[in-house]
Amino acid sequence: MKQKLEEIRASALDTIHAAADLAELEQLRVKFLGRKGVLTDVLRGLAQCPPEDRPAVGKVANEVKQAVADALDARKEAIAASQEAASAAAERLDLSLPGRRPLRGHKHPVMRVAEEISDIFVQLGFQIAAGPDVETEYYNFDSLNTPANHPARDLHDTFFVKPGVVLRTHTSPVQMRVMERTQPPVAVIVPGRVYRVDQDASHSPMFYQIEGLLVDKGISFADLKGLLRLFIQRYFGPTTKTRFRPHYFPFTEPSAEVDISCTVCSGKGCRVCKHSGWLEILGCGMVHPEVFRYANYDSETYTGLAFGLGVERIAMLTHAISSIHYLYENDLRFLEQF
Ligand code: PHE
C-alpha cells in the first residue's frame, strides 16, 4: 500500500507541475484529493491493512495528501504570477510613441498691439495707469470740459448705466483721475476698454483705446508733434510720414487729428486709404486750461499734451484686417494667424 501511495505522489506531482492553467489544476485537485479521488480510494483500502501497519501507512497517506495539496498551491501561484506578467506585458505603454501636442494659446492680436504701443511709451518714461470702465458722468464728461448740453454727450453715443453713471466713452477720464492723485510732472499711458453705441465694419460697441498724458512746465505743441512722430516712426517704420490736421475736442486746445502715410500704398493712394494716401490714427491736443482747473493744477505754471488712439484700428491697419468684428468673433481660424 505504501508502494501505491508513493506512486500516486510521484504521478500527482508530475502532472500538477505540468498543468497549464487553473482549470486543469482544478481537475487535478478533484482527481487526487476529491471525495471520489485516487487518494480517498486508497485510504478506503486501509481497512484491509493489518492493524499494526495502519499507523505507518496512515502517516504516509497524510504526507502524500499534504505534498499533493502543497504542489497544487505552488502551481496555482506560479500560474497566477505568469498570467499577471502576461497581462502586464500586454498592457504596457509604449513610451516612445509621439504624444498629442497640447494646443498652445497666445495673446489676442488687440492685446499684442496694445502692449507694443504701450511699450514704446514706457521706454520713453511713461507709466501705465488705469481707471474704471463704469465711470461717472463727472469724470467722463464734466471734468473734461464737456458740459451737460454738449453734443458729445448725445444719448445716441453713450451707454448709460443709471443717471450720472456711464460706460466710459473714452479713456480720457483717467487723465483726470491721475491728475487728482498726482502732482506734476505727470507722464502716463492708459490702455483700456471703452464703449459707444455704434456698430458697423469699423466700429464695435466695445473697443480699446490708449490714452497718453504728459504734464510739466514748458510742454509745447512742438513736444506733442515730436512725441507722436517718434512713436509713429517706431511703430509703423522710420519712413512713415505724419500729418496734423486741426480738429476739435472739448478737453484740448488747440486740438488735432493725426494721419499717417498709408501703410498699404505708402501714400500713393489705394482702397484702404480711400485713395487719399493718408490714414487717420489718433486725436490729440494741448490740455485745456479748464481741465487743469478741475484737476487743481495751475495752468499758468503747467502745460500738457494729451492724445488718444484706437487700438483695433491700428491692429487692422498693420494686419490688413477688413472688419473690426473679426477681432471679436473668437474664430480660432482667424485668431491663429497672429
Ligand atoms: N478722447 C478722444 C476720443 O476718444 C481722443 C483724445 C484724447 C483727443 C486725448 C485728445 C486728447 O476721441
Side-chain angles (χ1 to χ4, degrees):
M1 214 170 158
K2 265 189 186 166
Q3 173 76 24
K4 187 95 204 264
L5 284 167
E6 288 305 341
E7 279 169 25
I8 291 173
R9 185 208 299 252
S11 97
L13 294 191
D14 276 356
T15 48
I16 288 169
H17 196 71
D21 56 34
L22 294 176
E24 201 182 325
L25 213 56
E26 175 61 12
Q27 279 172 12
L28 292 175
R29 190 187 66 77
V30 172
K31 176 175 169 192
F32 289 107
L33 302 180
R35 264 193 302 123
K36 294 176 185 158
V38 186
L39 264 173
T40 321
D41 229 28
V42 174
L43 288 174
R44 268 198 209 104
L46 206 58
Q48 271 98 57
C49 261
E52 64 275 19
D53 288 348
R54 280 182 206 167
V57 175
K59 187 165 171 264
V60 175
N62 278 330
E63 278 169 17
V64 171
K65 203 171 168 179
Q66 190 57 49
V68 172
D70 287 351
L72 282 168
D73 283 349
R75 186 64 194 146
K76 195 169 173 180
E77 248 171 61
I79 289 174
S82 79
Q83 274 180 353
E84 213 169 278
S87 77
E91 282 170 23
R92 211 178 69 200
L93 299 176
D94 181 353
L95 297 179
S96 69
L97 276 178
R100 269 186 220 112
R101 274 178 190 286
L103 282 180
R104 182 123 168 255
H106 60 74
K107 278 184 185 143
H108 192 280
V110 171
M111 300 320 289
R112 267 244 310 273
V113 169
E115 277 180 23
E116 286 164 7
I117 293 172
S118 303
D119 280 353
I120 292 176
F121 288 99
V122 167
Q123 282 166 23
L124 294 172
F126 283 71
Q127 295 200 319
I128 305 269
D133 289 21
V134 178
E135 188 53 284
T136 61
E137 284 193 88
Y138 174 78
Y139 284 110
N140 195 78
F141 294 123
D142 299 271
S143 70
L144 296 174
N145 194 32
T146 314
N149 58 3
H150 195 280
R153 294 179 68 148
D154 199 323
L155 289 167
H156 296 293
D157 298 334
T158 307
F159 287 108
F160 280 83
V161 176
K162 59 183 184 192
V165 179
V166 300
L167 294 183
R168 66 180 178 196
T169 58
H170 52 179
T171 41
S172 300
V174 187
Q175 287 189 28
M176 190 55 58
R177 289 182 174 274
V178 169
M179 286 191 282
E180 275 183 354
R181 62 173 187 245
T182 333
Q183 283 307 305
V186 168
V188 288
I189 195 90
V190 185
R193 288 191 177 94
V194 302
Y195 306 83
R196 285 183 205 173
V197 183
D198 207 350
Q199 182 148 10
D200 61 33
S202 47
H203 295 92
S204 151
M206 184 285 295
F207 59 104
Y208 279 80
Q209 280 191 338
I210 295 182
E211 189 85 9
L213 174 69
L214 176 66
V215 181
D216 203 347
K217 288 177 183 152
I219 300 293
S220 71
F221 200 87
D223 294 314
L224 176 64
K225 289 188 77 172
L227 176 66
L228 291 178
R229 225 174 75 119
L230 183 89
F231 154 66
I232 285 165
Q233 294 196 339
R234 283 210 184 155
Y235 190 79
F236 293 98
T239 57
T240 314
K241 293 198 185 69
T242 52
R243 177 170 87 171
F244 284 68
R245 272 184 296 102
H247 199 71
Y248 171 79
F249 296 105
F251 35 88
T252 47
E253 181 59 35
S255 302
E257 274 188 339
V258 175
D259 300 335
I260 59 170
S261 50
C262 179
T263 50
V264 177
C265 64
S266 312
K268 287 183 206 67
C270 69
R271 223 163 42 101
V272 174
C273 59
K274 300 199 180 84
H275 302 285
S276 70
W278 296 98
L279 298 165
E280 182 231 310
I281 62 152
L282 60 82
C284 64
M286 301 304 293
V287 179
H288 197 293
E290 191 63 10
V291 173
F292 278 155
R293 197 177 62 78
Y294 276 99
N296 265 322
Y297 279 11
D298 177 6
S299 59
E300 294 298 319
T301 313
Y302 296 106
T303 48
L305 62 85
F307 59 90
L309 54 85
V311 179
E312 285 81 354
R313 188 167 159 74
I314 289 176
M316 287 165 72
L317 290 177
T318 47
H319 298 298
I321 299 164
S322 58
S323 164
I324 192 170
H325 301 290
Y326 287 126
L327 292 169
Y328 293 118
E329 279 164 357
N330 288 334
D331 185 339
L332 287 181
R333 291 169 304 176
F334 171 80
L335 293 174
E336 275 167 355
Q337 299 174 52
F338 300 94

